Amino acid sequence: MNLLRGPRTMTPYDCQFLRDRLRGKPYLPLAYFEGASPENGYHPHVPYTLNVLTDPRPQDVEPGYLRLYLKTAGADSPRPVKLRRKGSTGQWFLWEYSSILSGIRIPAAEDPWA
């Protein structure tokens, strides 16, 4: 995560937040890759590919930031992530990502109602 976040490293609070959101959900990080679905236990296709959608309202984002959306079969709508540009290098880093850690449909094998 520190690599994705760039110069803003993970704090103990950030680490705990991430642990809490992923606890008991080993499928959650895989759910955003192509081919992953509740029906197949969120096992994505190889090579791993993200389905990234452009922001329909880029005018709502301040300069130096970029909002993109990640699609998952585990949710009805794509989830936003926000990137921040490092001015000195032009690199983009993960800035805001809490929505991709929100609940999604559980794997069908774990769903008593499936």
Side-chain angles (χ1 to χ4, degrees), residues 58-96:
Q59 67 274 17
D60 293 344
V61 180
E62 57 272 23
Y65 294 85
L66 175 68
R67 185 173 47 216
L68 299 171
Y69 289 82
L70 297 178
K71 190 169 180 166
T72 175
D76 293 331
S77 58
R79 304 287 174 89
V81 294
K82 197 176 203 181
L83 307 176
R84 183 175 181 182
R85 186 176 178 270
K86 183 175 179 182
S88 62
T89 64
Q91 295 171 296
W92 290 93
F93 294 101
L94 195 56
W95 185 254
E96 196 175 287

Side-chain angles (χ1 to χ4, degrees), residues 2-3 5-9 86 93:
N2 281 329
L3 180 65
R5 289 170 51 107
R8 186 178 66 145
T9 58
K86 183 175 179 182
F93 294 101

